[in-house]
Amino acid sequence: MVSALSHSSTDLDAVIFDYNGVIGLQPTTPMWSGLAELAGWRTEDLTHFQTAFWSAREPYDSGEFDDTDFWTAVLGRRPEPALLTRLRAVDTALWTRTDHRVVSLLHQARQADLPMVLLSNAPHPVGDALDASDWRGLMTDALYSARLGMNKPHLDTYRNALAATGVGDPGRVMFIDDRPDNCEAAARLGLRTLHYTGSPADIERQLGTKSAAAFPSS
């Protein structure tokens, strides 16, 4: 049983959460392989597929590329509509699995009336899927890069997220992300930061709960 967070026990007024790598689980190798196979890449070429995938992801995340643009860049050809639909669905599924331990913490923070904002680099299909998730209602707001038209670590993404918290002082807001470059950018605006490396107990400590031992390390 996870004890409820006490908003009064911490000097935080709000928290901004990254999604992937914090609330969301990273895709497994078999999941990557399944997407690569669907895209027509051989199993032994998985590394090359991932290189092509990530090379085109930034403009997809920012909304510059639509689904067709992104998958055309990855495949090297324009996908047929049926294939595009399947690629979009499988890709979205890769990024929408959650860490139940962190989701439990979101519930505790909500019980303590601690405002929480999601700030994620995510293309439109992923953002839409996250908005439809059962935990999304725990968040005060959710900001996705494709809707903002810019990716983290652009400083305006953090400014937008801070505004969404309703807190004027960035020093009273915690930003949690698994990428150090994103944390460094947030810190430049005065936000407090936690570079998350996979232990929910680290989030617990930042939020002021005393039940850090409630979570195993894996």
Side-chain angles (χ1 to χ4, degrees), residues 47-78:
T47 299
H48 297 300
F49 168 75
Q50 290 174 316
T51 297
F53 181 97
W54 289 119
S55 294
R57 198 68 176 190
E58 184 172 344
Y60 189 36
D61 281 348
S62 71
E64 179 184 350
F65 278 6
D66 63 15
D67 299 339
T68 301
D69 295 331
F70 173 69
W71 285 109
T72 297
V74 175
L75 273 60
R77 58 180 174 80
R78 186 183 180 92

Side-chain angles (χ1 to χ4, degrees), residues 4-90:
L5 302 175
S6 172
H7 193 179
S8 62
S9 69
T10 175
D11 58 353
L12 287 178
D13 288 339
V15 184
I16 301 170
F17 281 92
D18 173 39
Y19 174 71
N20 186 44
V22 180
I23 301 170
L25 296 171
Q26 298 285 5
T28 64
T29 298
M31 292 176 73
W32 274 114
S33 295
L35 181 60
E37 182 179 356
L38 179 62
W41 291 68
R42 298 177 303 176
T43 302
E44 57 267 32
D45 289 335
L46 178 59
T47 299
H48 297 300
F49 168 75
Q50 290 174 316
T51 297
F53 181 97
W54 289 119
S55 294
R57 198 68 176 190
E58 184 172 344
Y60 189 36
D61 281 348
S62 71
E64 179 184 350
F65 278 6
D66 63 15
D67 299 339
T68 301
D69 295 331
F70 173 69
W71 285 109
T72 297
V74 175
L75 273 60
R77 58 180 174 80
R78 186 183 180 92
E80 295 296 323
L83 176 59
L84 177 62
T85 297
R86 183 63 178 149
L87 288 167
R88 181 173 56 236
V90 174

Side-chain angles (χ1 to χ4, degrees), residues 167-187:
V167 178
D169 180 0
R172 298 186 63 84
V173 178
M174 174 67 63
F175 172 70
I176 302 173
D177 198 294
D178 67 322
R179 286 180 46 172
D181 58 333
N182 289 338
C183 290
E184 290 163 6

